[in-house]
Each structure stands twice: as C-alpha cells, then as structure tokens.
Amino acid sequence: MRRLRSGSALTFGFSLLSAWFLWESFALSRVASTVPRLVLVLTLVLLAADGLRSWFHARERGGEAVPDGDEAAGPVPPKVDAGAGARCLAWIALLPAALWLFGLLAGSAVYCLLFLRWRSRESWVFSLAVALGLGGVLTLLYSVVFPAAPYAGLWAL
Amino acid sequence: MDSSVMDAAWEALRLVLSWPYVVYPIAGTLLAMAFSATPGLNSASLMALAIPVTFVWDPIPVMLLFGSFVGGATFMGSVTAILFNIPGKASNAVVLLDGYPMTVQGRAREAIGAAATSSALGATVGVVILVVMLPFMRSAALALGPAEYLMIAIWGLTTLAALSGDSLLRGLVAAGLGFQLAFIGYDPRTAELRFTFGLDYLSDGLSLVPVLLGLFAIAEVIDLMASGRETLAARQASNQLRGRVGHGVRAVFRHFPLFLRSSVLGTVIGAIPGIGGSVAGFIAYGQASQTAADSSEFGRGDVRGVIAPEAANDAKDGGALIPTLALGIPGGTGTALLLGVLTLHGLTPGREMLTDHLVLVFVLIWSLFLSNWLTSLLGIALVSPMARLTTVRASRLVPVILILAAVGAIQYRGLLADLVCAVLFGIVGYMMKRVAWPRIPLVMALVLAPLFENSLHLTLRLHELGRIDFWSRPLVIVLLVLTGTSLVLPVFRARLAAWRKRRA
Amino acid sequence: MVIDGYGRLAGILFAACALLMPGEAGATACGMLADQTLRWVVPSKPGGGYDAYSRLIQPFLEQRLGARILIDNRPQAGGIVGAAAIRDARPDGRTLGLINAPGLLAAHLSGRQQAPDPSADFTLLARVVSNRMMLFTGHGSGIGDAAGVMRLAAARPVVVGTRDAGSASFFVLPIVAHHLGLDYAMVTGYVGSTARVHAAVRGEVDVIIQTLDSVMPYLASGELRPLLWISGAPAEGISGSLGVPVPRLSDFDGHALETGEEEGAVDTASAVSSILLAGRIVVAPVGLPGAVEACLKNTVMEVLSDPELLQHAQASSLTVEPAGADQARRELREAARHMRIYAPLVRSAIDRSSR
C-alpha cells in the first residue's frame, strides 16, 4: 500500500506536468509543437494506463502487495514517517541555502559541519576536521585548478 | 594495409614512447582521471582549459595530451557509478544498472575488475577498427543523412525495454518525460522558446549535468538518509566484501563474444557523427539483455550488464575519431574541441590530414590507446581502497557526496540555479527509486530527443519535397531490420522459453 | 558550455610537460582587468567557426590583458542565446564575446525572437571579419552555374538547406531569392555549416548559402561548386565549373524592392553586401565604465592586428579583417538601415518556416 500510494502520487504528479506542457504547446507554431504534442499525448495515455493498472491491482489484492512490474524492485521500502521525511528534505534543501548565503567555499564547510554534528551525530572534533579539510581541498582546487572565483555568497555582497 | 601506413604507425609509436614525449600521455591521463572521477566535471572542460595553454606548443605534444584526455576520461565515471550509484556523465549511467547492485552485494571489486578489463580491451578494439576503417570512412560518413539519424535514434529508443527493468510501461513513461524535458528551450528550427514558463533559466534548455547529478547522486544520498542504511555496501567491514578483481577480469573472457559484439557496436556508434557517446552504452546494454539466453539477472548485479556498456563506452572513443579526422565532423563536445585544436594548429581534417600528417594522426591514436590502458590499470590498482569506501558509514559519506555533487552542478555553467535544479531532480529521482520507476530511460530520452526531433523534422520535410526515398537507402533498411529485431527478439525468446517449459 | 572554473592547472602538471611555454607576458594595457577572469561568450558549438575565431583570439587577448579568458559556448537559437547572455551580463568588463551581427539584426527586426538589437544593446569593440557569403551546390546536383539555378527555379522551387532563424544563411535567402525572382523551398534544421554542406554534397538540397571560410576543403576537393558571390570581394582562386569566374549578385538585374518615395528602389546587391559587411563583431554589454571600454577597444583591435595572430589565422584558414569600433558602428548602422527595409521579407520567411 505504501508503495502503491507513493506510486500513485508520482503518476498523478507526472500527469499534471504533462498536461501543463500540453496546454503550453498550443501557444507554439505547428513546426515547434507537433512532436511535443505527440509525445505528450502518448505520455498521458501511458500514465493513465499505469494509474488504472495500479488501481485494478490494488483492488484485486485488497490493497496489499505491490502492483505487477515492481516485484523485481525487492521488498517494499521501509516506511518513512512524515517527520523523518521532512527532516531529510530539510537537510537537502539546506545545502543550496548554505551555499547561497555563505558562498561555495565557506558554505560547503558550514554545511558539512552542521550535517556531521547534528544529523550524523559525530563528535565536534571529527566534524570540524572533515569540514575544514573539505573546505581546504575546495579552496586549493579553486586557487590552483579553478582560477575563476567561486561564488562568494550573499554575505560578501 | 600499405607500408606507408605501417611506417607512420611505427614512427608514431616510437615517438610516443620516447623521452620526454612519454610524459604527456601519462600526465594527461592522470588529469583526465581526476576530472572524470568528480561528478559533473569531464574531459571536455579539461580540453578547453588546455587549449590556450598549448596554443604555441608543437603539434606532437598537443596530440599526445589531447589524445590522453579523450582516452582517460570515461572509466572513472563508471567507477563512481558502480561504487556510489553516481555516474560521472551520461555515458556512465547505464553501468550502474548492474554495477551498483554488485556493490550492494559486496562484489564491488569484481564489478570494477570487469569494467576495467572491458574498458581497456574495448578501447583496443575501437583503435584497431579506427585504423582499418580510416581510409574508407569519408564516403561512409557523407552517406549518413537525416533518415539514417532518425533510424539510429529509433533503434536507440527500442532499448528502452531492456533499460526499464520489469516495468516497461513505466520505462516508456519515463522516456516520455525525458522527451518533455528535452523540449524545454529554443526550438532548433524556428527559434521559438518552448516550455520555459517565463523563466530565463530555462531559455537555455535543461542541462544534462544537473539532471544527472540530481536523479542519481542526490537521489542516492536521500535514499541513504531515509533508509537508515549503515553503509553503501550494506556491509560494515571491508573483509566482508566478496568478489575479487580477478573474477571480474575472467568474466570478460568468459563472455568474450558479448564483449566483442559490444565493442564493435560502440565503435560503429561512436563513428556516427553527431550522435554523442552516451548512446553507445545504452544500446550495447539493450542488445546484451535482449540477446541473452537468460536475461533474468540483468538489473540485479549481472556482470554482463557491466561488460557490455563499458566495452561500448570505451570503444566509441576510437570510433569518434574517425569522422573527426576523416571529415572534420565531431562526434561530441570532446571531439569538437579536439577539432578546434587541430584547426588552430593548422591541421585540416580530411584527406590532407590522412596523407600529409599521418604520423600525427597515429600519435593521437597511440596516445588514446595508451591512456585507456593506463586508466584501467590504475583503476584496478586503486580498486581495493575505492571499494573500502563502500564500507564507510553512510552518515559520514553523505555530506561529502552532496558537496561534490554541488560543485559539479555549479561548475558546469557557473549557476547556483543548476544546484537548485539538481536538488529538485534529486527529490524526483528519490521518489522514482522508492516506487521502482526506472530512471535510465528518462536520461536516455533526454539525450536522444534532440536528435530524434530534428531528424524527424528534416526527414519528413525532405520526403515532402521528394528529396529522399527511404527504400533506396540501404543503411535505413539495415537499421530498420535491427530495430525490428530488437523489438521482436525478446518477445520471441520469451515465447520460446515458455513453450519449452510447457513441453518439459 | 561554460568552461569557468578551469584555468591555472598549467601551473602544476602542464609545467612538468611543457616544452615550450608562452613567452613572458607582455605589458598589460588595462591594469583594472589584470589578474581577472573574463568570460568570452561564443554563439556556436565547440569546434564551430565562431569557436575557432574565439580560441584563436583567446591566448593573444590573455597575454595583452594579463587576464584569464574562459570560453562559454552558447549555440542555441542561431546565436541569439549567446548574444542575450552578453547583453544581460554585468557591465564590468568581465563579459564579452563574438556576435553574428547580420543574423541578430534579422532576428531582432523580424520581431519573432527575443533577439538583442546589435546596434543598441551592446558596446561594440571591434569587427573581426565580414561575412563573405556565396551560393553553393553539390557536385552531383546538375546545376552548373547561377543561370542554372534560375532555370531550375522556373520549373520547380529550388530546395535550399538552412539553419534556424537567427542565422545569416537564413535571412540572406529570402532577400537573394527576391532579387533573382527565385521560387524556393526552405529546409531548416541543419545545425552547423558541416551539416548543410553535406546535405548539398548528398544532393538532399539543391543549394546552400555559406561563408567561404567554412567550405574551403570541400571546394578544394570538388565536392562543392560555387555559383554566386552574395557579398564580399571575390577571392582569387575561386572559380565556377569549367574555370569560369563566379558571378556576383550585382551582375544580375534583379527585382528591386520598392520602399516608398523617400528611399526609392533599393539596390538589393549592395544592400545585402552592406548588411553582411557588419559581420562578426566583438561586443560587451552596454554601460561599461569609460576607462574599461577604451581599454577593451584598444586591446581587442591590437590583438586582431597582431601579425602573429594573422599568421596563425592564415595557417588555420581563418580570414581576419579587423576594423575598429567606430567603423564597426558605422557599418552596423548602415546594415540596420537596409535590414529594416527587408524585415517584412525576412518575417514572412520565418512565418513560412514555422508553418
């Protein structure tokens, strides 16, 4: 059921995206829109078929087990509760935010330190050592290998 | 082969192995390996870096250096694909289908051993075919028109079935999505902006690098974080890693016909101008899966799924030099830059190059050959320490992988927005991985879509004007047969197997 | 493709390999740009014509400025994307590049694309070369000369291979066709001069319009045959079938375009020449500080006039015809004046191609 729900969400999301693209295609000339429209319509038909297949399988198996075609993917993935999932995404989203604020070099070191200390629960010594080491390697790369100045961050503006 | 060609080849080999010339391919190989080991960086960037520096050099060291850049760049991207599920570039993406499951099973050494051996031997096959075919390639390459390119794109797309694992329907949808993403940006014929939704960032189209990094590198990291897995290999001690390098090396010889077929395929596809190298691996994998007697293990850690694409990926380097040297038509960005280098040093590809500068041509070829072998040998030498990385605690690896991916994404075009794009695709890639939606078809379609759309348009337009007749073009017919075989063969084999089972 | 981020690697490993290194850096002309990294935008794929010119100029400009130049390839939409990137960059002297002025003019004035206006949206630094364009056909086409094209057009539309709208080969076609009274059918989508040349050699298209530089090897091998000079002074050694000199567009009394009382009839041949004369121009964003602008103008012109660069250019079969910023501006103004007259023709060609 977990995989079924996630799969349905993805099918729905992709369908929405394809429909949006199809809508946009009507503003284009014939030459520019012919192939995209063909592909988009075909994709929407396949998505509908996938959605229907998932629904029928769910009904047949009483909402349990996975739809055909996914068996090879192995066991159903462990449940990720909403809180854990949100925290995971927050850590991922923090990376571009850190780089945007502090720049590529300092932001990488800051992010690495925060991640190792608070997410991975490593010691301060280890976290600082890896963060500084990584920052040092990137600084060396940018001063010797990559001469173009790396993005300096909002705080440098 | 006439004596002048042999003399030129021998003279070039003598030059390549002499001091101080031998330093150039070694240094170039090390640089190419370092660049291609970092996701998002590639040898084309390295070549662009080297062009102004080498501007006033003599032609021989230039050929040695750039030949080694071409030859040394592919393998390391496969290593990261195998170990971390993170391909160095698009052409390495297909290796992870079986390479990464082998790592999860603790067979990383075997996977890398097979990849290294396929890589070196595949490059050798590519170089041999290059040398033999060089005098004939000009007229063959000139014969390739939009109809042929269209059939090649369609043939490539038929491998979707093999790349989709057990869910063909979702593989087709993923390919459709790949096409949609490829349509973003300027239409190549009318220069209209398509599907940019008013965003300046999208007017250049979606760059492959952030998409690839997101779908694989960042998605893999999210999966590591969410699954709570201790290590990449699901094993915590390096002495629990099974498999040896020797197993992988022997596997290539055990499946020698497959290796040879994939190498020839890679060389031929690499020799087709404008296709780009990514397609070779996809098609080779597809062919390996579709022609295998038992393909049930493909996608689950079958060593053949490493041998086939790796052989094709490295054989294509030799193939790509054929149109570059014979016609001045590059196969991809790397050979395009090589072409620029040749022009800047007064070397005109074509007849002049193949007659007046044959020694230089062979210097380039030998350098390519040498660097491929060097990369594979160094890769094997480094396999144990690299494989041990898979037993490091995932929570320690995650920030390093994320930051390397970020550097790769931002470095490509210097845009922070590319990192945001990579993160978004990372989330999508994770969701796809979670519910077993295949991702490779999306990448393959993203690569093939521009070729498909442009060739289709040109073919239809020329047919409308009565300028081409499909049935009078032998290569189109050959490709049509290959495409049909790709589609029919797996179905036929499945029916045959079922019939045999019923009889038994 | 942005190459930014790769530069002084030579300091380590290349130094170990170098047999010859570039001579000691010349005195820098512009102190404010020394030790900076400049982005040079190229509106073509790596390996293309604009890319070749850019990489030819790159080391000389680096030496004179004492700066690092990073090549940024932006090939989409016939160079429009690259040009827009230069226009929109910060005017601090760190972004410059090469544009196809006539192609951009056509795209801008036809109003269909979001193309920058080369006469208003850039600081012109110097012209590198004018576009010397010719009409060519494949050796197996059966067309012997320009008169042959016109005879063919009387029987059926002449099939012409072009790139997308925004390229010089695209907009020149409707103007030349109007002048000669040719009925034509366009096949767009051949990206890169090599693709168009091969289309002509294979016989997929009857004719193509190309710059001379891009087809020299094919002329030498006889696979392409020149039919007509469209712009630029005829070069020595270029002859048609049977050694006959190739005619010029002005040799044909074509259909003049009536523009109204003030302009009268426009001489198409000289108008096309004037448009293509604007050629490939080195530009930077508008609004540069005065000192930076002066520095870049002088330095780029010095580089383009450098005998060593000209020698390398000749060895690479690249023609360099430098002209300073003022001359480039005059030529561009004249080109824009003529282009406005032909804008409706070009617009209708774009409409035809997208139907």
Side-chain angles (χ1 to χ4, degrees), chain B residues 24 31 35 41 45 48-49 57 138 142 144 146 186 188-189 193 204 329 336-337 343 411-412 454 461 467, chain C residues 2-3 5-7 13 17 19-20 46 55 74 76 81 114 156 164 186 189 198 202-204 206 223 316:
Chain B
Y24 292 87
L31 283 170
F35 265 67
L41 304 185
S45 313
L49 163 67
W57 289 11
R138 190 177 169 82
L142 273 171
L144 293 170
Y186 278 94
R189 297 160 304 268
L193 271 175
D204 264 0
I329 312 172
L337 286 166
T343 306
Q411 276 305 109
Y412 187 63
N454 207 44
R461 179 67 173 140
R467 304 300 293 202
Chain C
V2 169
I3 319 297
Y6 307 108
L13 281 166
C17 299
L19 289 179
L20 290 167
R55 293 187 195 275
R74 302 278 185 113
Q76 295 88 348
V81 169
Q114 297 164 329
R156 61 161 174 84
D164 50 5
M186 229 177 342
H198 288 182
R202 276 193 301 269
E204 274 164 25
D206 293 319
E223 284 161 320
S316 311

Side-chain angles (χ1 to χ4, degrees), chain B residues 20-21 23-24 27 31 35 41 44-46 48-53 55-58 61 65 69 138 142-146 186-193 203-204 327-329 333 336-337 339-340 343-346 348 351 411-414 454 457-458 461-462 465 467-468 473, chain C residues 1-10 13-14 16-22 46-47 51-52 55-56 58-60 62 68 74 76-77 80-81 112-114 156 159 164-165 185-191 194 198 201-206 217-218 221 223 308 312 315-316 353-354:
Chain B
Y21 288 134
V23 176
Y24 292 87
L31 283 170
F35 265 67
L41 304 185
S45 313
L46 187 55
L49 163 67
I51 287 174
V53 175
F55 190 73
V56 292
W57 289 11
D58 283 340
L65 197 65
F69 287 163
R138 190 177 169 82
L142 273 171
L144 293 170
Y186 278 94
D187 174 69
R189 297 160 304 268
T190 64
E192 287 170 80
L193 271 175
S203 63
D204 264 0
L327 274 171
I329 312 172
T333 309
L337 286 166
L339 194 58
T343 306
L344 286 173
H345 284 82
T348 310
R351 285 204 186 94
Q411 276 305 109
Y412 187 63
R413 294 195 294 183
N454 207 44
H457 164 81
L458 276 171
R461 179 67 173 140
L462 289 169
L465 292 170
R467 304 300 293 202
I468 54 171
R473 303 185 77 88
Chain C
M1 181 181 76
V2 169
I3 319 297
D4 69 294
Y6 307 108
R8 279 181 278 136
L9 180 58
L13 281 166
F14 290 157
C17 299
L19 289 179
L20 290 167
M21 293 298 289
D51 188 71
R55 293 187 195 275
L56 176 70
Q58 182 189 20
F60 293 92
E62 283 185 338
R68 174 72 52 180
R74 302 278 185 113
Q76 295 88 348
I80 293 173
V81 169
R112 277 294 304 276
Q113 294 85 27
Q114 297 164 329
R156 61 161 174 84
V159 178
D164 50 5
M186 229 177 342
V187 181
T188 56
Y190 288 108
V191 180
T194 313
H198 288 182
V201 170
R202 276 193 301 269
E204 274 164 25
V205 299
D206 293 319
Y218 298 92
S221 65
E223 284 161 320
E308 202 184 331
H312 273 285
S316 311
S353 75
S354 54

Side-chain angles (χ1 to χ4, degrees), chain C residues 2-339:
Chain C
V2 169
I3 319 297
D4 69 294
Y6 307 108
R8 279 181 278 136
L9 180 58
I12 294 183
L13 281 166
F14 290 157
C17 299
L19 289 179
L20 290 167
M21 293 298 289
E24 50 183 87
T28 59
C30 315
M32 68 287 282
L33 294 175
D35 297 325
Q36 300 294 314
T37 302
L38 311 190
R39 183 170 71 125
W40 179 289
V41 180
V42 181
S44 76
K45 297 187 295 190
Y50 287 83
D51 188 71
Y53 276 103
S54 302
R55 293 187 195 275
L56 176 70
I57 293 168
Q58 182 189 20
F60 293 92
L61 199 56
E62 283 185 338
Q63 194 172 21
R64 279 196 153 73
L65 289 175
R68 174 72 52 180
I69 311 273
L70 298 173
I71 302 281
D72 179 1
N73 291 87
R74 302 278 185 113
Q76 295 88 348
I80 293 173
V81 169
I86 301 171
R87 178 197 59 194
D88 299 336
R90 203 178 292 177
D92 54 7
R94 292 192 201 170
T95 304
L96 57 168
L98 200 55
I99 61 165
N100 166 23
L104 263 187
L105 260 179
H108 174 75
L109 290 170
S110 65
R112 277 294 304 276
Q113 294 85 27
Q114 297 164 329
D117 178 2
S119 56
D121 290 341
F122 300 103
T123 303
L124 307 187
L125 300 178
R127 184 197 67 194
V128 177
V129 64
S130 300
N131 287 337
R132 268 196 306 183
M133 302 202 86
M134 296 184 75
L135 189 72
F136 298 96
T137 187
H139 63 100
S141 68
I143 302 171
D145 52 21
V149 177
M150 291 192 276
R151 280 193 298 274
L152 180 66
R156 61 161 174 84
V158 176
V159 178
V160 188
T162 73
R163 199 187 159 163
D164 50 5
S167 61
S169 68
F170 182 92
F171 83 82
V172 164
L173 169 62
I175 301 173
V176 168
H178 173 84
H179 178 76
L180 297 175
L182 292 180
D183 187 16
Y184 66 93
M186 229 177 342
V187 181
T188 56
Y190 288 108
V191 180
S193 57
T194 313
R196 286 190 292 283
V197 168
H198 288 182
V201 170
R202 276 193 301 269
E204 274 164 25
V205 299
D206 293 319
V207 295
I208 55 173
I209 296 175
Q210 288 291 127
T211 54
L212 180 60
D213 285 346
S214 60
V215 303
M216 290 302 289
Y218 298 92
L219 283 181
S221 65
E223 284 161 320
L224 269 193
R225 185 179 306 134
L227 296 176
L228 184 71
W229 282 103
I230 293 173
S231 69
E236 279 180 26
I238 307 292
S239 59
S241 57
L242 302 175
V244 174
V246 178
R248 302 199 285 183
L249 190 63
S250 54
D251 293 339
F252 294 86
D253 290 328
H255 300 76
L257 193 68
E258 285 296 336
T259 63
E261 284 179 20
E262 228 179 271
E263 294 272 6
V266 176
D267 174 13
T268 302
S270 46
V272 167
S273 266
S274 153
I275 292 169
L276 292 171
L277 185 64
R280 303 177 187 200
I281 304 179
V282 181
V283 299
V286 165
L288 290 178
V292 173
E293 183 178 334
C295 144
L296 284 175
K297 279 179 181 171
N298 291 337
T299 311
V300 170
M301 196 56 199
E302 275 174 18
V303 163
L304 292 174
S305 309
D306 187 326
E308 202 184 331
L309 178 136
L310 294 171
Q311 203 178 356
H312 273 285
Q314 194 176 21
S316 311
S317 304
L318 297 173
T319 308
V320 175
E321 299 167 336
D326 292 337
Q327 185 178 341
R329 191 177 307 111
R330 279 195 300 274
E331 287 167 356
L332 194 50
R333 208 176 292 134
E334 197 57 15
R337 185 176 74 81
H338 284 115
M339 200 63 212

